[in-house]
Amino acid sequence: MSRIHLLSPRLANQIAAGEVVERPASVIKEILENSLDAGANKVDVEVEQGGVKLMRIRDNGSGIEKNDLSLALSRHATSKIRALEDLEAVGSLGFRGEALASISSVSRLSLTSRQAEQDNAWQVQTEGRDMEAILEPAAHPEGTTVEVKDLFFNTPARRKFLKTEKTEFRHLDEVVKRLALSRFDVAFQLRHNGKVIHQLRQADSEIEQERRVASICGSAFIDNALKVDVAAEASGLRLWGWVGLPTFSRSQADLQYFFVNGRMIRDRVVTHAVRQAYADVLYHGRFPAYVLYLELDPALVDVNVHPTKHEVRFRESRLVHDFLFRTLHRMIADMRPQDQLPSSAESQSGQNSSELGLQSPAVATEQNYEQGRMAFRQNAPSGPSVGQTAGFAGANYASSNPSIHQVREQVSGYGALHPDQNAEAASDVQGHESDKCPPMGYAIAQLHGVYILAENEQGLIVVDMHAAHERIVYERMKQSFEEDVVRSQPLLVPLSLAVSDREADCSEEQSQTFKRLGFELARMGEETLVVRQVPVSLAKGNIEQLIRDVLADMLVYGESKRIEQHINELLATMACHGAVRANRQLTLPEMNALLRDMENTERSGQCNHGRPTWSQMSMSDLDKLFMRGQ
Ligand code: ADP
Ligand code: MG
């Protein structure tokens, strides 16, 4: 007797549903994507009991023709592709023709639709083992409504995996938010148990778009984010969106939205590039916040690598990595205090004021930075000393080495750095009533030897003088380090490394990169490398580990910034020791010189450890504290 038989269509669909339909949120994702693919510019979502009891999605898209209705519910039925070639440059969100079949096999589904040219609407429902569809006339405006009731009613094993109503709704809401961020030109409404959760109108202008981002990601995000829009003409890549200031970091990676050609994805090449762009400015263990859109030729991305299409594969991942890193890195480096300060007109209207009255990147961070800061202050020696660098946590590969201390000449107490600027600043102070006030204003006092108080157009600025000076010194050291050729020294005993042949190939391909950074590497066999020369500054570090990590990065991400990072860590340590200490009295001209340097230094909004260096209290914030004008 034959033991092999064909599965019924319903069972086959239920099995397939395992991949796409995990919970109400996945149903919403599939159905909303269909609405967007149908060209809708308005979608209403209504759910009950976290979506488990009911999900109703109505759109004003192109609708489905009567004869296509039952087909829409069958497996492998789609209007979006016809041939394999179409897949290579697919522009729609869906194309697998599985979603409706899967969803209808594990719920009570009805699909009602009307196309513009039809006199009335039609509705289809599926019932019974073989999923024959029942077709009936119905009343419905142009567009489509999908109603999904009692999810998993016939698959108890799956129903058991559902979480509480609240949790299921949270997932579902997240899906709606992502889709709402992916299409500003579409109006979205979400209601849960009769209550309106989101009511988002079409957002065409930049202001409307920012309003939508604020209502989805919180207004603190948009207040602490900068707009990006950069296109690389040669490669046809464009990156736009909003990146959070480094000081608006999160304890989790929960505010990271990345869209590739309108599709929200998670991708390690992307995550890595972004993390690296923030590397030098983010407080340890914190995550940047961003809403970013990458647009590129669809032929350069493969979206068919995952059933729910959460992942993509870039055909030129190195190009993408490089573009993202460069764009964001530059952007972050170029952030200046003046970009973050509201214009005086804005601050007067009190638009950005927060509860506590502090308006600056510092406000938005939930983290208490005090700990790290105190540690630096209290253990700080009074001046730079060579031996101090060695034990610094974080500089694993680095060690102290006299050669690098040549840059030390640049590190000294503040006043000594800029004799001429001081003179200028001093005269500025006298004449500043008439001149335009610089963004960081003019110093008025030093508080407890730790903070500089300054007056600017908006009100009061408070600067952590050590943190600010540390960044300035660090950026200068990095710059002079880059301008100098990296000095390298031969190893007394060349270091031999056993590697895989892929790693060995990679080291050969990247030999120029290694050379530029002061390494001399040669391949001695299929799987052996020998290191003959290393940068002087890293000579005492764990070279073997560093080379291995760098090769691993290069294989996965196409490049590695580890060597630079370790050199930077070493410089950062030195900068920390070289920066002005607490309890050192500064004169007003010295303080003003520091403020002017902050305006002109890359990344000056954060110290080398990612903590904020300054904070603004606007006049309206102060007025609020004293209830003036209320
Ligand atoms: P896919 O989206 O992968 O094509 P689905 O099972 O999600 O597969 O949908 C099947 C087909 O039903 C789609 O290709 C589309 O033609 C049609 N369809 C589904 N939802 C809608 C809608 N809201 N508006 C218009 N057509 C729709
Ligand atoms: Mg679909």
Side-chain angles (χ1 to χ4, degrees):
M1 206 176 76
S2 156
R3 286 175 299 133
I4 301 178
H5 54 91
L6 281 174
L7 299 175
S8 75
R10 168 161 244 170
L11 185 52
N13 285 333
Q14 285 173 332
I15 292 169
E19 279 190 320
V20 235
V21 191
E22 188 196 342
R23 54 180 7 144
S26 23
V27 172
I28 290 289
K29 172 180 184 286
E30 294 297 332
I31 295 181
L32 279 180
E33 288 188 349
N34 281 343
S35 297
L36 298 179
D37 282 345
N41 62 14
K42 187 175 185 304
V43 286
D44 288 340
V45 181
E46 195 186 336
V47 302
E48 279 173 29
Q49 296 181 9
V52 180
K53 178 143 187 281
L54 170 84
M55 289 175 269
R56 187 185 295 126
I57 299 93
R58 165 176 295 204
D59 68 51
N60 65 352
S62 60
I64 306 169
E65 220 235 310
K66 180 189 168 191
N67 299 322
D68 277 351
L69 272 177
S70 19
L71 206 52
L73 300 187
S74 342
R75 188 126 164 259
H76 307 309
T78 180
S79 57
K80 298 169 194 173
I81 55 166
R82 286 193 172 273
L84 190 63
E85 298 86 79
D86 299 340
L87 201 53
E88 272 164 32
V90 69
S92 56
L93 295 166
F95 51 78
R96 298 168 64 104
E98 281 182 334
L100 290 181
S102 299
I103 297 165
S104 64
S105 73
V106 292
S107 69
R108 298 195 167 95
L109 180 139
S110 81
L111 176 62
T112 315
S113 193
R114 181 169 150 199
Q115 287 194 318
E117 50 279 6
Q118 286 176 336
D119 297 334
N120 71 291
W122 290 87
Q123 183 178 72
V124 68
Q125 280 171 299
T126 51
E127 259 169 42
R129 285 193 58 205
D130 296 328
M131 305 191 68
E132 323 82 49
I134 304 163
L135 193 65
E136 288 168 333
H140 193 278
E142 196 185 325
T144 304
T145 294
V146 182
E147 200 176 84
V148 177
K149 283 186 185 157
D150 308 321
L151 184 65
F152 300 143
F153 80 98
N154 55 357
T155 47
R158 307 226 65 192
R159 202 167 54 226
K160 270 195 228 134
F161 281 98
L162 290 176
K163 300 281 186 313
T164 60
E165 171 173 338
K166 210 170 131 207
T167 305
E168 291 305 333
F169 182 73
R170 196 164 42 76
H171 286 287
L172 190 155
D173 184 36
E174 183 61 28
V175 166
V176 174
K177 285 178 177 176
R178 287 176 187 177
L179 286 160
L181 285 175
S182 79
R183 291 290 298 272
F184 289 104
D185 56 331
V186 178
F188 287 83
Q189 191 192 63
L190 172 64
R191 275 184 299 164
H192 186 212
N193 296 337
K195 197 173 136 215
V196 176
I197 308 292
H198 297 293
Q199 176 85 283
L200 303 164
R201 277 180 288 157
Q202 276 181 290
D204 299 322
S205 68
E206 190 171 319
I207 292 179
E208 288 168 324
Q209 296 184 355
E210 294 195 344
R211 211 172 286 146
R212 176 176 290 200
V213 174
S215 87
I216 291 171
C217 305
S219 50
F221 169 68
I222 208 81
D223 288 347
N224 288 283
L226 291 186
K227 178 86 198 266
V228 201
D229 195 345
V230 176
E233 296 211 345
S235 54
L237 300 176
R238 178 183 171 215
L239 181 73
W240 65 280
W242 295 267
V243 286
L245 299 174
T247 40
F248 180 79
S249 59
R250 315 271 300 171
S251 56
Q252 287 171 33
D254 60 347
L255 217 163
Q256 303 189 337
Y257 294 95
F258 198 93
F259 301 86
V260 174
N261 290 343
R263 192 190 296 280
M264 160 101 186
I265 56 120
R266 293 224 168 264
D267 178 84
R268 62 183 181 155
V269 170
V270 168
T271 316
H272 185 265
V274 177
R275 203 178 50 224
Q276 223 161 48
Y278 275 91
D280 207 15
V281 290
L282 215 56
Y283 192 68
H284 182 72
R286 308 280 300 169
F287 296 87
Y290 52 83
V291 176
L292 285 171
Y293 303 84
L294 176 69
E295 286 168 13
L296 74 172
D297 179 351
L300 295 177
V301 240
D302 187 353
V303 289
N304 190 29
V305 288
H306 193 271
T308 62
K309 313 179 198 79
H310 278 308
E311 287 167 23
V312 292
R313 199 179 293 133
F314 293 109
R315 293 207 210 284
E316 309 254 3
S317 65
R318 193 157 166 182
L319 182 82
V320 171
H321 187 284
D322 197 51
F323 174 64
L324 293 179
F325 171 75
R326 263 174 221 283
T327 307
L328 297 175
H329 182 73
R330 187 77 327 258
M331 164 119 202
I332 292 165
D334 286 343
M335 289 175 181
R336 292 290 188 284
Q338 45 272 44
D339 302 327
Q340 298 162 32
L341 289 167
S343 73
S344 55
E346 262 180 82
S347 71
Q348 237 104 74
S349 72
Q351 197 196 5
N352 288 315
S353 54
S354 64
E355 202 62 50
L356 267 174
L358 282 168
Q359 168 59 47
S360 89
V363 162
T365 50
E366 320 116 285
Q367 175 100 2
N368 180 356
Y369 294 112
E370 236 18 74
Q371 231 181 338
R373 173 180 290 172
M374 291 325 284
F376 276 114
R377 285 290 145 54
Q378 287 161 358
N379 306 333
S382 53
S385 98
V386 173
Q388 294 293 335
T389 43
F392 187 74
N396 341 18
Y397 303 111
S399 65
S400 71
N401 194 300
S403 69
I404 208 159
H405 294 167
Q406 289 164 335
V407 261
R408 268 288 158 73
E409 283 133 46
Q410 308 182 20
V411 183
S412 59
Y414 219 75
L417 266 178
H418 303 284
D420 36 331
Q421 266 194 27
N422 287 339
E424 254 174 59
S427 64
D428 274 4
V429 170
Q430 270 110 48
H432 84 262
E433 297 293 341
S434 52
D435 296 334
K436 197 171 162 2
C437 183
M440 298 291 286
Y442 295 100
I444 44 185
Q446 193 179 3
L447 189 68
H448 284 287
V450 176
Y451 297 105
I452 294 171
L453 306 184
E455 177 184 357
N456 71 350
E457 250 177 82
Q458 288 78 18
L460 177 70
I461 288 234
V462 184
V463 172
D464 179 332
M465 76 183 194
H466 172 74
H469 189 212
E470 189 183 48
R471 168 62 73 176
I472 292 164
V473 173
Y474 176 44
E475 290 299 326
R476 276 205 193 111
M477 290 171 104
K478 278 200 294 187
Q479 207 177 345
S480 61
F481 192 84
E482 266 161 39
E483 283 160 7
D484 255 21
V485 188
V486 178
R487 297 201 309 140
S488 62
Q489 70 178 47
L491 290 174
L492 277 179
V493 184
L495 177 71
S496 166
L497 282 183
V499 294
S500 71
D501 62 343
R502 272 181 76 212
E503 287 170 331
D505 287 347
C506 175
S507 78
E508 283 182 324
E509 281 161 27
Q510 303 272 357
S511 68
Q512 279 310 312
T513 314
F514 280 110
K515 200 161 177 188
R516 188 173 56 79
L517 292 165
F519 284 91
E520 196 193 303
L521 239 66
R523 186 173 187 162
M524 293 310 275
E526 274 296 287
E527 302 186 336
T528 313
L529 294 181
V530 56
V531 186
R532 294 215 178 85
Q533 196 131 316
V534 298
V536 173
S537 53
L538 299 178
K540 292 198 183 118
N542 186 344
I543 298 293
E544 174 168 353
Q545 189 63 45
L546 178 58
I547 300 273
R548 284 189 193 288
D549 290 353
V550 167
L551 287 173
D553 280 353
M554 284 171 167
L555 284 176
V556 180
Y557 307 111
E559 64 163 346
S560 176
K561 292 267 180 293
R562 274 178 208 269
I563 299 172
E564 288 98 321
Q565 269 164 18
H566 287 292
I567 291 174
N568 283 353
E569 272 166 22
L570 186 66
L571 296 178
T573 309
M574 296 174 55
C576 179
H577 289 284
V580 279
R581 295 283 140 204
N583 295 323
R584 183 173 171 296
Q585 291 303 313
L586 296 185
T587 62
L588 282 180
E590 284 174 332
M591 291 189 249
N592 281 320
L594 180 71
L595 295 175
R596 298 296 78 78
D597 275 346
M598 288 178 74
E599 287 157 2
N600 296 317
T601 301
E602 295 193 338
R603 307 174 191 87
S604 66
Q606 310 83 38
C607 78
N608 306 346
H609 317 283
R611 296 188 291 268
T613 54
W614 62 277
S615 188
Q616 167 96 60
M617 252 180 154
S618 73
M619 289 309 284
S620 64
D621 296 331
L622 289 166
D623 289 348
K624 249 187 232 139
L625 276 182
F626 297 97
M627 303 170 83
R628 267 177 83 103
Q630 284 182 15

